[in-house]
Amino acid sequence: MTLLRADGLVKHFAVRGRTVHAVDGVSFDLAPGETLGVVGESGCGKSTLAKLLMRLEKPTAGRVYVDGADVFAMPARQLRRLRRDVQMVLQDPYTSLNPRMTVGAIVGEPFDIHRDVAPRGDRRRLVRELLDRVGLRPEDADRYPHQFSGGQRQRIGIARALALRPKVVICDEPVSALDMSIQAQVVNLLADLQRGYGLAYVFIAHDLTLVRRLAHRVAVMYLGKVVETGTVTEVYERPTHPYTRALLSAVPVPDPALRGRLTPIRLTGEVPSPTDPPSGCRFRTRCWKAQDLCATEEPVLGLGRAACHFPEPLR
Amino acid sequence: MSLLDVTDLRVAFGPTTVLSGVSLHLDPGETLAVLGESGSGKTVTAQAVMGILDPPAVVVGGCVRYRGQDLLTLPERERRRIRGREIAMVFQDALSALNPVFTVGYQIGETLRIRDGLSRREALHRAVELMDQVRIPAARQRVHEYPHQFSGGMRQRVSIAMALALDPAVLIADEPTTALDVTVQAQILDLLGELRRERTMALMLITHDLGVVAQVADRIAVMYAGRVVEQADVHQLFRAPAHPYTAALLRGAAISGTPPSLRDLPSGCAFHPRCRYAAAVCRTVAPSTVDLGGRSAACHFAREVLVDPAAR
């Protein structure tokens, strides 16, 4: 069963007469209660993908389906209903909460728009329950965002996202602005909420270690494309795309005993500009396996795990 | 004798104490990682050592000895001689550390013209050499380009080249890879390690990332709420931490609560409200630093934590 489906999503932006290929053909299926981790470096298109999934941007091509319904072809009435099912947690807990609203008003605002979810008399109680659920105190409803730490603010953002009892929450770098001791708290909360409500997540992050802790399946993006996808175990333990291997190899291992024992793969250079992506395989300019074929023919994801002409053999 | 010896350093920000007695040392050629979360005082420590604290932050106690000489008592003229030539610094955000209206070659060479009296031509020549040393490709051409023409990783290389211009004995790098992508971070960490070996330069690496510490550091100083709470050889520390805060970070466990506000520190040990080992004494008495034989920790129960299998 598929809850959220992306089908050939493409988003190009025109910038000063040039075309930025932010997202260039991304497809995936997400089942209820499942977490898809989306990893990649800056400029790979992961935040644009989040906006497309939320219908905050219109795709240049491709479709997004929620419970089988095409979200870009919906009448306004149905779209309004859709907003209940798909919610978002944003990266920056400092700019994503209105400083002039109380926490209660922020978390309860979705009820102003979707009045049938919570009868007027119930709102206060529901807001307090939500705050309690994300580890805040019910009396925090009367305070303002600036009175909270970054981690607590992110909890407020999560409570707001949960208010309408969504089926899927798109999390765009939800903990990258937080200190390390707080990141684990928020990740544990997200995992706990998933179990409690059967939520599905699209969890977008550049931190591969975090994604491993939370995701069931992973999509690795590079310059607007998914280059490898599979279960967490497959992708992390048996990566087949050279970029996935290099990316995992670049993550510092928090164990000094392994220093010098691992032979790291070091990529040269940096990610090319998405305004002028390389021909053929977009990764070929940094790839140690690249052949002539890679410059002329674009590898496709197809049924395999990796979009690569020369992937590591599946073990 | 250590190259750099920081003893009981205290820094206040108006009525707020931001460093309450920081002690650490750096030996020639070694890499010391200073690990901490935001507000722990790691950047302020670096700024105090460099003598570049932003007002109203002022040093209110302690000393910073470089080759035995207390930098804090030196007149500004003398201090300036040490800055750059003996101790240099690289910042997190290379884009704002570089001036957008001058070429990178001009900026790398500036210090050489002013401090070493090099001519423009000599300084430019030296800038190309320095860019080569930090592995910037096509240095001869790129020396004439402006910061915005460089990618994030290349810009950080430029600021490293600037810091190396006067061949310092100590390089302080404040979160040099935090703004970079992970594949670029790996390149810059490799580069810093190579430069340190080539020049037998000591490196003080300020970071919040345990993985980075494990990869590059010889020793580590863990900071929390304006104090060094644990200092040890990196292998020792990862095998058996002696401070409950370090232990929790290493386990990747969620630590309950939030880091305290420096304006309103908890009584006794600043970590006690978040600590699994906390007892009555922790709420009333600030722990002194316990010497554990080549390593130390500021905790009443350091010896217990050290041998607690649950702490690993």
Side-chain angles (χ1 to χ4, degrees), chain A residues 41-42 149 179-182 184-185 188 208 213 247 250-257 259 266-270 286, chain B residues 37-38 151 153-154 181-187 190 208 211-212 214-215 217 234-235 238 252 254-255 257-258 274:
Chain A
E41 299 181 276
S42 41
S149 66
D179 268 321
M180 51 191 169
S181 71
I182 308 300
Q185 290 177 11
N188 290 351
L208 287 113
R213 281 171 77 162
L247 194 61
V251 178
V253 182
D255 182 358
R259 202 189 288 176
R266 287 289 182 263
L267 293 181
T268 50
E270 292 174 39
R286 299 172 80 197
Chain B
E37 300 181 83
S38 46
S151 65
M154 285 297 149
D181 275 319
V182 63
T183 58
V184 183
Q185 161 169 288
Q187 296 167 5
D190 287 351
H208 66 278
V212 168
Q215 190 173 317
V234 71
H235 295 280
F238 275 79
I255 305 177
T258 50
R274 307 177 72 192

Side-chain angles (χ1 to χ4, degrees), chain A residues 93-103 106 109 144-146 160:
Chain A
Y94 293 87
T95 56
S96 58
L97 302 175
N98 187 334
R100 300 168 64 143
M101 284 166 75
T102 63
V103 167
I106 289 169
E109 195 179 20
Y144 287 87
H146 75 266
R160 173 176 60 186

Side-chain angles (χ1 to χ4, degrees), chain B residues 9 11 41-54 57 59 79 83 89 91 172 174 206:
Chain B
L9 181 66
V11 170
K42 51 195 197 305
T43 296
V44 173
T45 303
Q47 289 174 334
V49 169
M50 282 296 285
I52 54 166
L53 281 172
D54 283 324
V59 175
R79 194 88 196 262
R83 209 178 288 140
M89 189 160 171
F91 301 88
I172 302 176
D174 187 2
I206 294 171

Side-chain angles (χ1 to χ4, degrees), chain B residues 10-33:
Chain B
R10 289 161 192 277
V11 170
F13 200 93
T16 309
T17 303
V18 289
L19 292 189
S20 37
V22 166
S23 299
L24 48 83
H25 66 95
L26 187 65
D27 291 327
E30 79 165 343
T31 300
L32 171 73

Side-chain angles (χ1 to χ4, degrees), chain B:
Chain B
M1 189 181 62
S2 299
L3 191 58
L4 184 70
D5 236 316
V6 176
T7 317
D8 200 29
L9 181 66
R10 289 161 192 277
V11 170
F13 200 93
T16 309
T17 303
V18 289
L19 292 189
S20 37
V22 166
S23 299
L24 48 83
H25 66 95
L26 187 65
D27 291 327
E30 79 165 343
T31 300
L32 171 73
V34 179
L35 178 87
E37 300 181 83
S38 46
S40 63
K42 51 195 197 305
T43 296
V44 173
T45 303
Q47 289 174 334
V49 169
M50 282 296 285
I52 54 166
L53 281 172
D54 283 324
V58 283
V59 175
V60 292
C63 50
V64 176
R65 285 200 191 84
Y66 177 73
R67 296 188 198 274
Q69 184 179 36
D70 188 359
L71 300 182
L72 299 178
T73 57
L74 286 183
E76 179 54 29
R77 247 182 100 87
E78 287 291 301
R79 194 88 196 262
R80 214 178 288 149
R81 195 183 51 76
I82 295 209
R83 209 178 288 140
R85 200 176 294 283
E86 303 294 339
I87 309 174
M89 189 160 171
V90 174
F91 301 88
Q92 175 175 341
D93 181 2
L95 188 58
S96 51
L98 296 170
N99 190 326
V101 302
F102 292 102
T103 64
V104 300
Y106 181 90
Q107 293 183 68
I108 297 169
E110 187 174 22
T111 177
L112 293 160
R113 292 193 305 278
I114 295 167
R115 304 284 291 275
D116 280 355
L118 260 56
S119 70
R120 265 177 182 263
R121 185 191 209 124
E122 289 164 336
L124 196 68
H125 180 72
R126 188 76 190 104
V128 173
E129 285 177 4
L130 284 158
M131 286 170 70
D132 269 336
Q133 285 169 24
V134 296
R135 288 56 152 175
I136 295 177
R140 199 174 291 280
Q141 289 84 53
R142 302 213 72 184
V143 74
H144 301 293
E145 293 183 7
Y146 292 86
H148 77 267
Q149 294 170 286
F150 288 75
S151 65
M154 285 297 149
R155 243 179 246 143
Q156 196 54 287
R157 287 171 196 263
V158 169
S159 66
I160 293 170
M162 268 170 83
L164 296 181
L166 296 175
D167 202 13
V170 175
L171 181 67
I172 302 176
D174 187 2
E175 301 265 12
T177 60
T178 305
L180 304 175
D181 275 319
V182 63
T183 58
V184 183
Q185 161 169 288
Q187 296 167 5
I188 297 290
L189 290 176
D190 287 351
L191 174 70
L192 285 171
E194 286 160 24
L195 292 168
R196 185 187 59 77
R197 280 190 296 278
E198 286 164 15
R199 298 165 165 256
T200 53
M201 176 176 75
L203 179 64
M204 186 194 284
L205 180 71
I206 294 171
T207 179
H208 66 278
D209 188 327
L210 274 168
V212 168
V213 173
Q215 190 173 317
V216 304
D218 299 313
R219 278 190 314 113
I220 167 170
V222 181
M223 292 192 69
Y224 187 80
R227 279 191 81 174
V228 173
V229 294
E230 177 160 13
Q231 205 168 167
D233 168 88
V234 71
H235 295 280
Q236 285 180 339
L237 183 121
F238 275 79
R239 254 198 315 270
H243 195 284
Y245 175 62
T246 320
L249 289 181
L250 286 180
R251 280 202 318 275
I255 305 177
S256 61
T258 50
S261 157
L262 292 168
R263 251 175 251 113
D264 186 23
L265 280 184
S267 61
C269 171
F271 187 59
H272 88 255
R274 307 177 72 192
C275 183
R276 333 194 275 151
Y277 295 84
V281 61
C282 307
R283 285 186 275 280
T284 49
V285 185
S288 50
T289 301
V290 188
D291 186 353
L292 300 163
R295 58 186 295 183
S296 62
C299 172
H300 292 299
F301 298 102
R303 288 175 210 285
E304 286 81 352
V305 177
L306 191 57
V307 296
D308 182 0
R312 287 166 216 169

